[in-house]
Amino acid sequence: MAAIRFDKVQKYFGRGDKRMHALSNINLEIEDREFLAIVGPSGCGKTTCLRLVAGFDAASEGSVSVAGKPVMKPGPDRAVVFQQFALFPWKTVRGNIDLGLRNKAIGFEEREKRIADVLKLMNLETYADAFPHQLSGGMQQRVAIARAYVLDPEVLLMDEPFGALDAQTRVVMQEELVRLARVQPRTVLFITHAVEEAVYLADRIAVMTRRPGRIKELVDVKSVRDAEKWNRFERIEDVMDLDSFVHLRTGIWRSLREEKNG
Amino acid sequence: MGPRRFLIGFATLSALGLLWYGATSVTGLVSSGRFPSPIETYTAFQQIAWRGYAGGTLPAHALHSIRLVAMGFAVAVATGVPLGLLMGSSRKAEALINPVFLLIRPIPPLAWIPLAILWLGLGDAAKIMVIWFAAFVPAVINTFSGVRSIEHPVIEAARMLGTPPWRFVMEVVAPAASPMIFTGLRLSLQASWTTLVAAELVGALFGLGRVLNLAQQDIYPGMILVGMIAVALCGWMTTRFLAFGEARALAWRHFEAKPAR
């Protein structure tokens, strides 16, 4: 059973003459523990795809299901990491991470343990009692990822999570995410407009067309990554130098450029 | 406040004091029938402080007024903030309540005084009611717009974490709106004092407004000035008190940023 399933999904915004066709016939299955990235020109509806899975918006036609259950409303089984972090600035790092656990009515000791684990996982131990705006952007996004991870969600939804970070921090976070995927693999739906980021992180990439967004092609990265053993490299720049990486990236770029000019 | 600023402020006030003394006592440019000299004011102060005036000493009047403001303000906050939160969080509640609110809102709070006195007499209850009406409106409006201006992702984050409704209001909506809520409370407090003094001027048995009213009837400029200064000091004190509460409640906004790593 697919972890996430889009079945003949149509999405319209607005009514009557102002009705805008955002997504057109999206069919997509994301496997358990698969990392799937959606890339596409801006305004193509890639974020809308994520919002449908999160339950923030509802499909106009067709259905979206997670672990076989149709999505009705937002919930902690589908944790979201937002581009603008969306932390609660009046809560400490610990308080931010704790809220979702408290909502699940998990006991104090279990919560303490899970918070300690996730803080360690994200290298945040020393910041447990800091407030979000005392932290840099990269650290804030670590907190947001920790807040999502700690819930042990069915799927992790990441909406351009590194889009608001500076270039160096972004690279650090990308490497971090690869490390996380190795230590604790999850089903991830990752939205980005950065092709390199998608190729570096994802197992599979869905390329979308301009509005109304359709899935134009699905690119298998995992088989190339495994065959060419990208994993032997620690650093992103070493991977990006590989011919196999460049080849994939260029192919997706061409495909996207057709959309922008087309 | 730095010592330099303090000195400048002190110098300005001293100059004003000297000007006041010069214009009244020394040159007599302003007759004491229109504006009291410092000495007359001090005499009036001594009278009300020790022997009493308008049925009580100054601390008794001041405490009475402060108590009424505190009570009216508390009632307004306890009703206005929850209503603002409700209207901000629920479109249905807003649609239901807003028409009534729009109807009542243009009525100046002071226009309620005659009705309040008619219903509740010259005692405390009437004052509390009028203060409530005056302080209620800014509390509701600012809380409401505070809720409406919460950034969307923060609300969505709380929803995806599965936050139940009551916790959502108490731990997400209220703190997110709290800077605006406190803006509303500051306006509410101001409105409370304005309204109380006006209500006491119109009809009261006791309190700072009563002191002002009687001093006017007695043509006693010194006492009028003492009453005015007392109102100013009381208002300032309660404002400081609120600011203290605000600084504590919004402490999370004011921590110095640590150097980024």
Side-chain angles (χ1 to χ4, degrees):
Chain A
M1 183 170 53
I4 305 175
R5 187 181 152 95
F6 289 78
D7 191 20
K8 302 193 195 79
V9 170
Q10 304 276 354
K11 178 66 184 170
Y12 303 95
F13 286 110
R15 291 203 186 111
D17 293 344
K18 287 183 192 145
R19 194 168 89 150
M20 190 266 278
H21 197 177
L23 294 176
S24 168
N25 194 29
I26 302 284
N27 289 293
L28 183 63
E29 291 196 355
I30 302 167
E31 300 303 320
D32 199 33
R33 306 278 157 109
E34 186 182 26
F35 193 126
L36 184 128
I38 300 183
V39 297
S42 46
C44 73
K46 50 191 191 292
T47 290
T48 305
C49 287
L50 179 137
R51 294 178 60 83
L52 294 179
V53 181
F56 296 144
D57 291 319
S60 309
E61 292 167 32
S63 71
V64 177
S65 52
V66 170
K69 285 172 301 222
V71 172
M72 307 299 281
K73 58 173 189 165
D77 56 325
R78 287 151 288 133
V80 183
V81 177
F82 299 84
Q83 181 175 10
Q84 298 298 337
F85 321 143
L87 297 173
F88 309 114
W90 51 89
K91 286 182 183 289
T92 60
V93 168
R94 183 188 299 279
N96 268 278
I97 298 171
D98 199 16
L99 181 62
L101 295 175
R102 284 167 56 221
N103 293 342
K104 284 178 132 183
I106 294 170
F108 178 75
E109 277 172 24
E110 167 77 7
R111 290 193 340 249
E112 287 294 294
K113 190 188 162 298
R114 281 168 75 166
I115 293 170
D117 287 349
V118 83
L119 286 174
K120 190 161 189 292
L121 182 71
M122 297 304 299
N123 292 321
L124 284 166
E125 291 121 308
T126 47
Y127 297 93
D129 298 313
F131 283 89
H133 75 247
Q134 295 175 292
L135 306 176
S136 65
M139 294 305 276
Q140 290 189 46
Q141 196 57 301
R142 268 168 211 257
V143 177
I145 294 171
R147 181 174 71 176
Y149 246 86
V150 80
L151 296 170
D152 201 7
E154 205 76 55
V155 299
L156 207 53
L157 308 172
M158 308 185 93
D159 186 10
E160 302 204 22
F162 309 141
L165 304 177
D166 63 81
Q168 282 97 334
T169 311
R170 191 178 314 153
V171 168
V172 172
M173 293 302 290
Q174 286 162 348
E175 290 174 348
E176 189 91 337
L177 203 56
V178 165
R179 180 180 69 83
L180 266 182
R182 267 182 225 161
V183 188
Q184 289 201 27
R186 298 287 151 136
T187 309
V188 181
L189 176 61
F190 191 98
I191 308 298
T192 183
H193 58 258
V195 174
E196 287 187 339
E197 180 171 87
V199 177
Y200 179 66
L201 293 171
D203 296 326
R204 210 149 51 109
I205 298 174
V207 183
M208 286 184 68
T209 63
R210 282 181 307 162
R211 207 161 65 207
R214 283 180 297 106
I215 292 179
K216 183 181 179 181
E217 78 182 293
L218 279 162
V219 181
D220 180 11
V221 183
K222 190 177 192 316
S223 59
V224 179
R225 173 184 296 129
D226 291 348
E228 301 286 324
K229 295 197 176 66
W230 292 1
N231 289 352
R232 61 202 145 112
F233 299 106
E234 281 282 311
R235 292 159 180 265
I236 191 168
E237 61 268 28
D238 297 332
V239 177
M240 284 180 178
D241 271 348
L242 297 172
D243 286 342
S244 52
F245 186 97
V246 174
H247 183 73
L248 276 175
R249 187 194 61 191
T250 310
I252 294 170
W253 252 121
R254 293 225 167 92
S255 180
L256 271 179
R257 188 182 286 271
E258 283 168 25
E259 290 308 315
K260 281 173 182 163
N261 297 338
Chain B
M1 186 162 54
R4 194 185 158 81
R5 276 182 69 94
F6 179 79
L7 276 179
I8 294 172
F10 187 74
T12 314
L13 286 180
S14 308
L16 265 177
L18 277 176
L19 201 69
W20 177 25
Y21 184 63
T24 50
S25 300
V26 181
T27 60
L29 276 173
V30 181
S31 85
S32 64
R34 296 200 181 278
F35 201 81
S37 69
I39 293 151
E40 284 163 333
T41 310
Y42 182 69
T43 314
F45 171 72
Q46 276 210 315
Q47 183 195 337
I48 194 171
W50 307 120
R51 276 172 289 144
Y53 182 78
T57 58
L58 187 61
H61 284 296
L63 271 178
H64 183 80
S65 292
I66 289 175
R67 203 168 56 88
L68 286 183
V69 163
M71 282 162 70
F73 178 71
V75 175
V77 172
T79 52
V81 172
L83 188 73
L85 289 174
L86 182 71
M87 285 169 68
S89 320
S90 152
R91 304 255 163 200
K92 236 180 256 169
E94 190 211 346
L96 211 67
I97 300 165
N98 213 21
V100 185
F101 201 65
L102 287 177
L103 196 74
I104 295 180
R105 202 177 137 189
I107 304 173
L110 303 187
W112 290 98
I113 294 175
L115 203 57
I117 292 178
L118 200 65
W119 286 351
L120 300 166
L122 297 179
D124 297 351
K127 314 288 183 296
I128 292 173
M129 184 189 126
V130 182
I131 293 173
W132 176 29
F133 277 39
F136 181 69
V137 174
V140 175
I141 293 177
N142 285 281
T143 304
F144 171 73
S145 52
V147 174
R148 278 297 156 84
S149 59
I150 299 174
E151 288 173 36
H152 246 266
V154 170
I155 290 179
E156 286 177 343
R159 288 176 65 207
M160 73 87 178
L161 292 172
T163 315
W166 179 249
R167 185 174 286 166
F168 180 68
V169 171
M170 296 308 285
E171 293 192 29
V172 179
V173 174
S178 58
M180 276 295 274
I181 293 177
F182 272 103
T183 305
L185 295 195
R186 260 182 274 130
L187 295 170
S188 287
L189 187 58
Q190 248 168 35
S192 298
W193 274 107
T194 313
T195 320
L196 175 76
V197 172
E200 285 182 344
L201 275 173
V202 176
L205 307 169
F206 210 71
L208 291 174
R210 172 70 186 142
V211 171
L212 284 165
N213 188 15
L214 192 68
Q216 178 211 337
Q217 283 169 24
D218 289 351
I219 315 178
Y220 191 170
M223 192 59 80
I224 292 177
L225 195 61
V226 168
M228 288 168 68
I229 293 171
V231 169
L233 284 176
C234 288
W236 177 78
M237 256 162 46
T238 49
T239 311
R240 292 304 308 164
F241 195 71
L242 181 66
F244 177 73
E246 179 175 353
R248 295 205 55 169
L250 302 185
W252 51 270
R253 299 177 92 202
H254 301 297
F255 287 114
E256 282 294 311
K258 278 183 193 162
R261 223 174 64 148

